[in-house]
Amino acid sequence: MLRVSAFRLLGRRGASRVSLSEDFSLRHYSSGPLSVRDDTRDSRAYFTTPIFYVNAAPHIGHLYSALLADALCRHHRLRVPSDAATGFSTGTDEHGLKIQQAAAAAGLAPSELCDRVSAQFQQLFREADISSTDFIRTTEARHRVAVQHFWGMLKARGLLYKGIYEGWYCASDECFLPEAKVTRQPGPSGDLCPVSLESGHPVSWTKEENYIFRLSQFREPLQQWLRGDPEAITPEPFHHTVLQWLEEELPDLSVSRRSSHLHWGIPVPGDDSQTIYVWLDALVNYLTVIGYPNAEFKSWWPNTSHIIGKDILKFHAIYWPALLLGAGMSPPHRIYVHSHWTVCGQKMSKSLGNVVDPRTCLDRYTVDGFRYFLLRQGVPSWDCDYYDEKVVKLLDSELADALGGLLNRCTANRINPSGIYPAFCTTCFPSEPGLVGPSGRAQAEDYALVSAVATLPKQVADHYDNFQIYKALEAVSSCVRQTNGFVQRHAPWKLNWESPVDAPWLGTVLHVALECLRVFGTLLQPVTPSLADRLLSRLGVSSTERSLGELHFLSRFYGHPSPFEGRRLGPETGVLFPRLDQSRSWLVKAHKT
Ligand code: MSP
């Protein structure tokens, strides 16, 4: 059989590349919306997770995508504490060949499979404390309206034409592949089968007449967008990758399938013989959620941050912005990209039987514990490996011993019998080391601690802006260690409340340590919301005092009054985070085998 390369498109006009038509002017895209910063940008923010395929149950990689978005969004709320200003969507991607085939293989109607698996995602996200404001399913009526309207916009702007698509299609990845991205591997019967080079999933040859989107016309506008906004795709290496992709020619994109082949999807308006390509359908979810096509969506778009895995970068950083530009809209404000979790060094897959069930992990390690682990260990720029011992070691050392131990040391009845946020003594700990008088006992390391914790919120915010949440947590953890060092150094358990010499210094040591804990609790809210809530409640911090704007670390040291001094601590609620290593029978079993 004669094989031609993928994307060989024979448009009705007889050309695979189409010159600019009169109704389509690039000038419109490269000057207008691209260069204009939306007025609402600063007041509203919209975060999204990818929408998840429903062909199989959720795993820890899916939860990780959702947690990154949740932490970013929660951190934004700490900066701008008004629910109305922040939107956060997640959901399930329910159409397409992949789902149609999975349902057939399971002997279910596609809608039955979708209901079942979508419910699993919803339950997981509820249990994991994902604070989304909307959960979209692409099978909902509101979404069909949005997708068909979006299609109409592309059509009206002359960006769709009918042509023959001939090339490879990978149903598992729902994407077209050029010959260079296909290799041959022995299949179950030993014969060589064509598979995607990147994912290893089987591909099949397709030739049919479809609607084609003039993607090729958007290469320059996309380059302009990315060159003009170097942080559009974060972290930087992914931005660079996309610019490199754009060095190559951009072929037009087939955006529909014959309905006889793919019936599980949204029909092309006015042509029931064709079903809209699932990626176009899926990407529009981001607009559906904010009310598109009703004008209200304009107050959210484009102040949007998409959180995605690296495997779906091309769809979000090339297809989606091009489609948006085509429909007369701006590209999203930010695309934050993360890498993948492997398990014991291998890719997670059903066939290898190594898929880690996130609900078991939430049970074993607690919701806060597992959230902390994934976000503390997950590094966006490279893949991370999962194994149980690593979770136990991290949580025991950072949450149970360091943070929990610190809280306990500073609030326990034997050390602080009055249960009061003690007073800070400015002569014991003057604002400058040179001023330390006879009653002062502060040392150089103590000043270093105060300075480290004072700059921590800004450092953490910068790490969030750069999508380096693990670095934010590393910085918090390092300050927790420093604070423990401070307490250890001054051993408040050796000081005596009854002694007029000791008492002011004892109060000061505890005051400083509690202030540090208040900062840690505030900054940990996006990652460990319930643990942070317990910590802050124990310190007596009310719900209106937990935003970044209200933080004001160690005011007394800086010469201002402190609202906390003399305040009663919250009630004792037990251990902040119990150690895992002794208490987990499943781990003992795992060690023995
Ligand atoms: N349905 C598409 C997304 C459409 S968005 C308009 C899809 N779904 S997915 O279920 O396959 O993946 C959803 C997210 O989970 C992606 O961000 C993907 O990168 C992420 N992960 C899937 N496996 C993963 C790991 N092993 N590790 C980390 N994240 C992973 O793609």
Side-chain angles (χ1 to χ4, degrees), residues 300-454:
W300 293 100
W301 197 267
N303 196 14
T304 299
S305 299
H306 292 315
I307 287 80
I308 61 161
K310 63 182 182 181
D311 54 321
I312 53 176
L313 180 58
K314 181 180 63 187
F315 303 96
H316 284 80
I318 293 188
Y319 296 175
W320 180 225
L323 288 163
L324 285 161
L325 290 170
M329 287 178 251
S330 302
H333 173 54
R334 287 279 172 275
I335 299 175
Y336 292 113
V337 190
H338 66 80
S339 296
H340 284 182
W341 282 90
T342 54
V343 173
C344 302
Q346 282 182 308
K347 190 174 165 176
M348 243 186 300
S349 88
K350 250 199 310 196
S351 51
L352 287 172
N354 64 352
V355 174
V356 180
D357 171 14
R359 291 182 63 199
T360 309
C361 296
L362 294 171
D363 269 1
R364 279 181 180 176
Y365 306 118
T366 73
V367 171
D368 287 302
F370 199 54
R371 286 176 63 107
Y372 185 83
F373 170 78
L374 287 180
L375 293 171
R376 170 79 168 91
Q377 291 285 310
V379 176
S381 305
W382 57 86
D383 288 353
C384 298
D385 199 35
Y386 177 88
Y387 50 93
D388 287 320
E389 284 82 351
K390 194 155 143 187
V391 191
V392 174
K393 219 169 145 191
L394 179 88
L395 299 184
D396 277 355
S397 106
E398 294 194 359
L399 293 188
D401 296 347
L403 187 66
L406 181 63
L407 178 68
N408 184 43
R409 277 169 138 187
C410 304
T411 53
N413 188 46
R414 64 183 181 286
I415 205 141
N416 186 357
S418 65
I420 300 280
Y421 215 100
F424 178 88
C425 162
T426 47
T427 50
C428 296
F429 203 146
S431 57
E432 284 182 38
L435 304 177
V436 178
S439 57
R441 307 192 195 176
Q443 305 167 7
E445 289 113 306
D446 305 334
Y447 285 90
L449 168 72
V450 169
S451 146
V453 178

Side-chain angles (χ1 to χ4, degrees), residues 222-289:
L222 291 177
Q223 286 173 331
Q224 280 177 25
W225 162 52
L226 293 177
R227 290 193 185 124
D229 187 354
E231 288 169 7
I233 302 172
T234 299
E236 197 282 330
F238 294 110
H239 191 94
H240 181 74
T241 303
V242 176
L243 274 171
Q244 262 182 335
W245 287 340
L246 289 169
E247 292 292 305
E248 312 266 309
E249 258 196 63
L250 204 52
D252 284 351
L253 177 70
S254 167
V255 284
S256 70
R257 290 277 83 98
R258 249 189 7 245
S259 314
S260 54
H261 179 55
L262 171 68
H263 59 81
W264 186 239
I266 299 177
V268 166
D271 183 354
D272 279 358
S273 73
Q274 294 276 319
T275 303
I276 294 176
Y277 174 40
V278 64
W279 265 103
L280 192 157
D281 168 339
L283 289 162
V284 172
N285 94 82
Y286 300 131
L287 295 178
T288 307
V289 165

